[in-house]
């Protein structure tokens, strides 16, 4: 069958490369895609939020499966639009994607079903939020309710900062309508782990763990970004932690959504913090992580398309999800100045070296095919250079080695992706 992938980042490139390995797949289309995705898929110039055009395209090309990579279209109801047209789609409906789309919803769900998370209060009124701060313990965490490109979280160390944060989220609308409602929650400390899972409405199968590096600069300094690099598996995600999460978090979340009449089919991404009191949910996402997908999917042994089909058909229990007994590290090559301001349009050299290198991947995020046929930079996060290795240290050495293969003006990266593994 022919398939369509919706999105344009490194995550969608990783999804496309996994799909290309499936014997079930003939042709891959990607909307809108990017310069690198264009090497495995035919990119079509339709935006991820243009639901009618996406549906029309899928009908016209008789697409057998559409995979939604990004959060915005899912939260906006793209899966519903495809289903209404009788098309097969991988990703939760709008009423389930709210798990990511509203932090207030997800916190209330966790409270109602006793799923471990930070203590919190929701607010729709700035005055009430400001009053609450007077007696709150510091540091304190402020979260805009809706989607804010991963930037809607403020960690405030002083009461003044927290007051300013409430004002900027709720009154100045720093994150737009995402700030019509906000969550104020307890600050937690511990290691962060990302666990992605396949869900078919009832059954959940978790993938291998990963860890992201969200800050822009070495030593976790600088602004929050979409993610500057990942490694998988996380050595801190021990069998004991897994056992706790399987018992108290994963199935409990799927069951809670079903009990609420919001059957979840697709990917649930659990952002966890391993606190001294045990694992706690930091956040849910309703799609693969970016760049988590770049280290998790290359290690998956199953045919990804077969697993996605099983999710849609409610037959995930029959799938034995397996991952390679190795490790992978992804280092993001960004444009100098990301995430604030940066220049685009610089030619990228050396990409061909990845074509023949077994266990190495160069996932494209912000790239574009120029008119002369060359690939040029076209965004803040440009490439995700990923390598596998027998263990995390080898994978990291391989990935950093491969970052030298590609060159472009204003190339920027963190040099400490996976440094935490040295402590284990
Ligand atoms: P989120 O988008 O909810 O994952 O938040 C973004 C980042 O903010 C997380 O990856 C954490 O590093 C941090 N964060 C969020 N909530 C908390 C919390 N309750 N305590 C400490 N850090 C947090
Ligand atoms: N890397 C974090 C995310 O995809 O939300």
């Amino acid at each position: 069958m022919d398939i369509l992938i919706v999105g344009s980042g490194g995550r969608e490139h990783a999804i496309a490369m996994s799909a290309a390995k499936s014997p079930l797949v003939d042709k891959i289309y990607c909307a809108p895609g990017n310069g690198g995705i264009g090497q495995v898929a035919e990119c079509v110039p339709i935006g991820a939020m243009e639901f009618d055009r996406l549906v029309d395209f899928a009908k016209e090309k008789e697409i057998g499966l559409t995979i939604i990579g990004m959060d915005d279209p899912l939260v906006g109801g793209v899966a519903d639009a495809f289903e209404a047209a009788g098309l097969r789609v991988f990703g939760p409906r709008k009423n389930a994607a709210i798990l990511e789309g509203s932090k207030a919803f997800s916190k209330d769900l966790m409270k109602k079903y006793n799923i471990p998370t930070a203590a919190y209060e929701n607010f729709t009124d700035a005055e009430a939020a400001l009053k609450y701060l007077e007696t709150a313990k510091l540091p304190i965490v402020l979260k805009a309710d809706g989607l804010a490109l991963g930037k809607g979280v403020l960690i405030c160390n002083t009461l003044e900062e927290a007051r300013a944060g409430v004002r900027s989220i709720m009154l100045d609308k720093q994150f737009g309508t995402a700030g019509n409602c906000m969550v104020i929650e307890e600050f937690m400390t511990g290691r962060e782990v990302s666990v992605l899972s396949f869900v078919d409405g009832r059954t959940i199968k978790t993938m291998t763990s990963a860890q992201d590096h969200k800050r822009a600069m070495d030593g976790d300094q600088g602004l929050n970004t979409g993610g500057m690099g990942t490694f998988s598996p996380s050595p801190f995600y021990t069998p004991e932690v897994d056992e706790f999460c399987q018992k108290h978090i994963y199935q409990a979340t799927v069951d809670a959504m079903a009990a609420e009449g919001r059957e979840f089919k697709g990917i649930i991404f659990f952002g966890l913090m391993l606190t001294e009191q045990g694992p706690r949910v930091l956040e849910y996402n309703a799609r693969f992580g970016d760049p988590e997908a770049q280290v998790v999917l290359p290690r998956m042994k199953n045919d990804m398309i077969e697993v996605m089909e099983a999710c849609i058909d409610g037959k995930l229990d029959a799938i034995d999800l397996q991952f390679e007994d190795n490790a992978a590290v992804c280092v993001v090559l960004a444009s100098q100045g990301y995430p604030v301001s940066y220049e685009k349009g610089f030619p990228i050299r050396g990409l061909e070296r990845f074509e023949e290198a077994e266990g190495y991947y160069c996932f494209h995020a912000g790239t574009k095919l120029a008119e002369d046929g060359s690939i040029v930079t076209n965004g803040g996060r440009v490439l995700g250079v990923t390598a596998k290795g027998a263990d995390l240290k080898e994978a990291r050495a391989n990935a950093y080695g491969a970052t030298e293969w590609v060159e472009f003006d204003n190339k920027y990266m963190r040099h400490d992706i996976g440094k935490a593994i040295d402590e284990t």
Side-chain angles (χ1 to χ4, degrees):
M1 67 178 162
D2 293 350
I3 68 162
L4 169 65
I5 299 168
V6 176
S8 60
R11 165 182 52 210
E12 285 74 23
H13 195 185
I15 293 171
M17 301 249 300
S18 286
K21 289 193 297 188
S22 171
L24 300 169
V25 171
D26 297 315
K27 187 170 168 98
I28 307 175
Y29 295 94
C30 188
N34 64 36
I37 296 175
Q39 289 159 2
V40 274
E42 181 177 326
C43 294
V44 283
I46 304 178
M49 295 306 285
E50 297 182 88
F51 299 174
D52 291 343
R53 290 185 67 204
L54 290 171
V55 166
D56 288 346
F57 178 84
K59 277 201 219 153
E60 184 199 317
K61 296 288 183 189
E62 296 178 6
I63 298 294
L65 171 68
T66 298
I67 303 165
I68 313 297
M70 298 168 71
D71 45 8
D72 294 85
L74 287 168
V75 170
V78 73
D80 307 62
F82 273 76
E83 281 185 6
L87 294 162
R88 274 170 82 77
V89 58
F90 179 77
R93 292 179 190 148
K94 183 174 181 166
N95 77 347
I98 190 174
L99 192 61
E100 170 165 7
S102 166
K103 291 191 193 290
F105 169 86
S106 72
K107 296 295 294 188
D108 286 346
L109 186 87
M110 288 186 265
K111 187 191 252 176
K112 182 169 172 189
Y113 293 91
N114 290 316
I115 298 167
T117 188
Y120 74 102
E121 291 287 336
N122 293 337
F123 295 92
T124 49
D125 173 53
E127 284 310 314
L130 289 167
K131 186 144 180 278
Y132 175 82
L133 289 179
E134 301 297 326
T135 54
K137 202 165 142 251
L138 294 167
I140 188 102
V141 183
L142 312 182
K143 298 186 173 184
D145 176 55
L147 295 180
L149 295 168
K151 293 182 187 131
V153 175
L154 304 176
I155 295 174
C156 305
N157 291 304
T158 66
L159 185 57
E160 255 333 290
E161 257 179 68
R163 282 183 185 137
V166 167
R167 286 190 201 105
S168 79
I169 291 176
M170 298 200 88
L171 301 176
D172 307 339
K173 300 280 187 229
Q174 185 190 350
F175 307 110
T177 53
N180 287 350
C181 171
M182 68 179 291
V183 177
I184 302 188
E185 76 174 24
E186 166 203 10
F187 176 76
M188 303 188 286
T189 51
R191 296 226 175 250
E192 286 185 40
V193 185
S194 303
V195 175
L196 315 185
S197 65
F198 287 101
V199 183
D200 75 354
R202 280 177 304 147
T203 301
I204 176 164
K205 300 251 162 138
T206 49
M207 301 179 224
T208 181
S209 61
Q211 185 180 320
D212 191 11
H213 299 66
K214 287 208 171 85
R215 300 293 197 98
M217 299 193 300
D218 284 12
D220 289 329
Q221 300 297 306
L223 294 171
N224 257 329
T225 71
M228 293 299 293
T230 38
F231 60 84
S232 170
S234 163
F236 309 105
Y237 191 78
T238 60
E240 293 73 37
V241 173
D242 183 60
E243 196 187 326
F244 179 94
C245 297
Q246 297 287 354
K247 198 163 159 198
H248 300 289
I249 296 177
Y250 303 144
Q251 190 67 50
T253 301
V254 175
D255 293 347
M257 290 298 280
E260 294 291 312
R262 298 174 182 274
E263 182 184 66
F264 194 106
K265 287 187 178 196
I267 304 287
I268 300 182
F269 164 150
F270 297 86
L272 303 172
M273 187 169 275
L274 310 182
T275 73
E276 280 189 356
Q277 290 75 40
R280 299 279 181 272
V281 178
L282 273 173
E283 63 157 351
Y284 293 116
N285 295 310
R287 35 111 193 139
F288 281 101
D290 190 349
E292 282 86 344
Q294 288 92 310
V295 284
V296 169
L297 284 176
R299 298 185 54 230
M300 189 162 109
K301 289 187 185 172
N302 305 67
D303 176 341
M304 179 194 73
I305 299 296
E306 195 182 285
V307 181
M308 290 178 169
E309 298 262 42
C311 289
I312 296 171
D313 295 331
K315 294 181 176 159
L316 187 60
D317 55 348
I319 298 278
D320 180 16
L321 205 56
Q322 292 204 353
F323 288 82
E324 293 170 1
D325 183 20
N326 56 12
V329 170
C330 170
V331 180
V332 169
L333 302 186
S335 303
Q336 183 83 45
Y338 172 72
V340 182
S341 66
Y342 45 83
E343 291 177 69
K344 303 193 267 196
F346 298 116
I348 307 173
R349 297 171 295 275
L351 291 167
E352 59 290 342
R353 205 150 154 202
F354 287 87
E355 285 162 23
E356 301 300 324
E358 176 80 20
Y360 289 82
Y361 308 81
C362 186
F363 297 116
H364 291 228
T367 74
K368 179 171 97 169
L369 188 63
E371 274 173 19
D372 64 1
S374 67
I375 303 260
V376 299
T377 65
N378 191 41
R381 290 192 291 178
V382 178
L383 300 167
V385 171
T386 298
K388 292 189 201 172
D391 58 19
L392 283 163
K393 284 188 181 158
E394 189 180 297
R396 181 176 57 184
N398 291 345
Y400 272 107
T403 62
E404 305 294 322
W405 300 354
V406 268
E407 286 306 330
F408 55 87
D409 286 359
N410 293 359
K411 172 175 141 187
Y412 171 81
M413 68 181 130
R414 274 183 62 161
H415 291 89
D416 61 350
I417 302 302
K419 189 161 181 278
I421 59 187
D422 295 336
E423 296 163 31
T424 57

